[in-house]
Amino acid sequence: GMGKCRHDPEQLQRLFGLSSGMFEFSAETGSAIRALKDHPAGGYVADIPGTVSFEQARERIHAIFDNGFVDQVATRFLVIEYFAYNPDINVFTNNKLICELFPGGSWFTRTTHRPFKIFDRDSSVAQLVFEAFFFAFIMYWAVSLFTDAVRHHRLHGTLFGYVFDVWIIMDAVNITLFIAAFGMRWQWFQDSSQIQTRREYPAELDALSESYIRQIQINAINTVLTFLKILKYAQLNDSLNILTRTLAKSQENIVGVLGMFVYFVFAYALCGYMLYGSNLYNYRSIDQTYNTLMRMLLGDMDYDEMSKEQRSVTLAFFWTFILLAQFLLLNFLIAVLGDAFHEAVEDRLPI
């Protein structure tokens, strides 16, 4: 946001082409940014094209601050975004410098640098052919899953057992994510074609960056799911299926224990957010506080930072959480798994 600006209409019109003589608000420029909280795309925008000289860019930057684009009263969030390109490896980099004001008055700063590529039609023909074959395999896999469901319904008269089988669920999620990734990849192909022909900057590059990163994230999840499904075939061997049999025997008890654990940590996440959320980055939201507490159970913590913020209650907050969550609930969870493992081993032993 922007407070009352001391505009110089002539300067803004000369440097930025702003006919209104003041900074304009755009609801569509840029992509959503997650810092202390989610910020939608858009806001007050001052664009410095990459085609201007260094002296012209410096003059525009001075004009931005001289005309009150950022003030000391109403500004809560500022991001400076620019793109860099390395022609040797055909890689772009989306660079963002983020400044955001905490509710307690301190400033949070962060930089992000995300590399991404654009699709080159001239040098990626082999890649297109491979991806076409892989997409055909995914569709064949989806059709096979559907025909298996129809066959199961004809034999048993219901889909309940089939739909709620854990391996079928993993297959369905895997296929859905692959199809979603291909959809994003197709959009990435189209955006790449547009930017190679029109060279728009930076809106097209911003869309390409988001699409490319989402593909990587989805494919990372698919990689984990694909390797986890190897455990399905491990069930054929008594020596290898001990993990799946242990989880099967402990599933009733472990669900209850995990539910209590999640509920307990959530209560402390609310408490931590109220105590430290105004000024500490790791406690800036309830979900981030929850993540911080989970990391605390693994020994990743900054006790001194917490103590400086809330000296009188940090001792009680920290040690009650560690004693109850780590020493009690986590060990109780291990005990449940240990009992189930013992039962699984006994079932395998010859009578």
Side-chain angles (χ1 to χ4, degrees), residues 167 227-232 234-251 254 336-338 340-342 344-345 348:
W167 304 111
F227 276 86
L228 283 177
K229 287 188 294 183
I230 297 177
L231 295 175
K232 178 179 180 180
Q235 295 180 99
L236 302 175
N237 187 289
D238 283 341
S239 299
L240 298 177
N241 65 6
I242 187 67
L243 174 61
T244 55
R245 289 189 294 112
T246 298
L247 293 176
K249 289 182 177 297
S250 64
Q251 60 184 356
I254 206 170
V336 171
L337 290 173
F341 177 79
H342 182 68
V345 171
R348 194 180 64 180

Side-chain angles (χ1 to χ4, degrees), residues 43-116:
Y44 287 96
V45 178
D47 186 22
I48 303 177
T51 55
V52 302
S53 65
F54 174 78
E55 290 76 12
Q56 292 172 325
R58 183 173 58 182
E59 184 182 9
R60 295 189 183 201
I61 292 175
H62 284 297
I64 288 173
F65 289 96
D66 291 342
N67 283 272
F69 185 80
V70 178
D71 64 16
Q72 301 295 325
V73 179
T75 301
R76 291 293 178 268
F77 181 80
L78 174 68
V79 57
I80 300 174
E81 179 180 13
Y82 65 94
F83 292 87
Y85 176 63
N86 187 333
D88 294 332
I89 56 177
N90 190 29
V91 171
F92 288 85
T93 305
N94 183 359
N95 306 280
K96 291 178 181 176
L97 289 74
I98 301 168
C99 299
E100 186 168 6
L101 187 65
F102 277 91
S106 59
W107 281 90
F108 157 67
T109 60
R110 187 180 61 160
T111 60
T112 63
H113 308 280
R114 294 182 176 180
F116 65 97

Side-chain angles (χ1 to χ4, degrees), residues 10-25:
E10 294 182 0
Q11 186 184 43
L12 293 179
Q13 186 173 4
R14 176 175 59 85
L15 295 177
F16 299 98
L18 300 174
S19 58
S20 62
M22 60 182 300
F23 293 110
E24 297 178 352
F25 185 88

Side-chain angles (χ1 to χ4, degrees), residues 149-190:
V150 173
R151 189 180 301 112
H152 186 278
H153 184 268
R154 289 175 179 174
L155 292 175
H156 304 281
T158 179
L159 288 175
F160 185 82
Y162 183 83
V163 171
F164 288 96
D165 183 87
V166 63
W167 304 111
I168 299 301
I169 294 174
M170 291 179 66
D171 279 341
V173 172
N174 217 177
I175 292 172
T176 302
L177 291 177
F178 271 124
I179 293 175
F182 272 107
M184 292 182 181
R185 197 152 187 83
W186 176 253
Q187 184 64 45
W188 178 67
F189 290 152
Q190 291 183 321

